[in-house]
Amino acid sequence: MLNIILFGPPGAGKGTQSEKIINKYNLTHIATGDLFRKHLGEGTELGKLAQKYMDEGNLVPDQVVIGMVDEKLKEGANSNGFIFDGFPRTVPQAQALETLLEEKGESINGMIALDVPEEELKKRIKERGKTSGRADDQDENKIENRIKVYLDETLPVANYFDQKDKFVKINGVGSIDEIFNNICDQVDRLK
Ligand code: AMP
């Protein structure tokens, strides 16, 4: 299996690039934000629980996220591997992911981080908000909070994998194809 974390702040382009990666390498996409939005749309208990955190741009509690990911890992047990997008967002989530993979005799091959300056992120999120219908993409304060939560709670995850020599950062500004080619160079090194 090839298990890769696509890392980066909100608006870095993780969703766009994940779609291209899963198609090229035939991997299973686990995007926790998308999964929560699906639950929300279907009105499940999990969706209701997640909504109050998502609306403010805060993180859903670790145990809830980890339980949901565990289920998705089981569903994709026979796939070529996974692209994790928007997960792990805290160090405990990272540790839990490693444990879940270890139980299957698997591990994280590497983390690829998309580097995008803060002003560019805000511009992209607001632009996306015009069509995404996401409340958290449309409000200046919520966007600010998501970036703050990223810096405070999520950035340590980069350090966590860097210490294990499983971290690489690439420029997340440029054309979609340019960035994709740079990601593919890194994925090919991890294969
Ligand atoms: P995203 O689509 O990745 O920007 O996620 C949208 C929202 O879903 C976030 O602002 C969080 O409220 C929630 N969420 C998504 N993934 C996670 C995660 N791994 N841990 C905690 N909350 C998450």
Side-chain angles (χ1 to χ4, degrees):
M1 268 191 172
L2 183 62
N3 299 310
I4 292 173
I5 301 168
L6 191 59
F7 188 78
K14 301 186 295 294
T16 305
Q17 295 295 340
S18 291
E19 288 301 332
K20 294 174 74 74
I21 304 168
I22 57 167
N23 287 331
K24 176 163 177 178
Y25 295 95
N26 199 15
L27 301 172
T28 301
H29 190 193
I30 298 191
T32 44
D34 290 350
L35 292 171
F36 282 131
R37 278 185 289 279
K38 189 161 181 279
H39 275 280
L40 223 120
E42 290 168 357
T44 67
E45 285 306 312
L46 184 63
K48 285 177 203 156
L49 191 155
Q51 183 164 25
K52 61 177 186 286
Y53 299 98
M54 296 175 76
D55 278 353
E56 297 306 319
N58 291 323
L59 295 185
V60 177
D62 285 341
Q63 285 317 313
V64 178
V65 187
I66 293 162
M68 186 174 74
V69 169
D70 187 19
E71 212 172 282
K72 288 287 151 190
L73 287 174
K74 285 180 185 138
E75 282 174 26
N78 294 323
S79 85
N80 287 337
F82 297 94
I83 290 287
F84 299 97
D85 161 4
F87 175 88
R89 256 176 160 97
T90 63
V91 171
Q93 287 183 20
Q95 290 165 330
L97 175 60
E98 288 183 310
T99 305
L100 289 173
L101 289 173
E102 261 165 40
E103 285 167 7
K104 297 165 176 52
E106 296 291 337
S107 62
I108 290 294
N109 296 75
M111 169 184 264
I112 302 172
L114 296 174
D115 190 26
V116 178
E118 194 168 321
E119 282 316 305
E120 173 73 14
L121 295 174
K122 290 182 194 165
K123 205 174 86 188
R124 287 188 191 176
I125 296 171
K126 276 188 235 165
E127 195 54 38
R128 182 172 70 187
K130 291 179 187 167
T131 51
S132 71
R134 286 176 55 173
D136 62 347
D137 278 351
Q138 293 175 33
D139 178 307
E140 190 95 28
N141 290 331
K142 288 178 186 172
I143 295 172
E144 290 280 350
N145 188 45
R146 285 163 69 200
I147 294 175
K148 184 179 182 306
V149 167
Y150 168 78
L151 295 172
D152 292 348
E153 300 181 56
T154 304
L155 207 47
V157 180
N159 203 18
Y160 179 82
F161 285 102
D162 195 18
Q163 282 171 1
K164 294 173 181 257
D165 277 332
K166 289 188 174 182
F167 177 83
V168 64
K169 184 155 78 176
I170 68 163
N171 185 3
V173 182
S175 77
I176 290 176
D177 285 333
E178 235 165 49
I179 298 166
F180 180 58
N181 286 336
N182 289 334
I183 293 175
C184 291
D185 286 345
Q186 296 302 329
V187 173
D188 291 337
R189 288 183 46 222
L190 295 170
K191 274 201 301 191

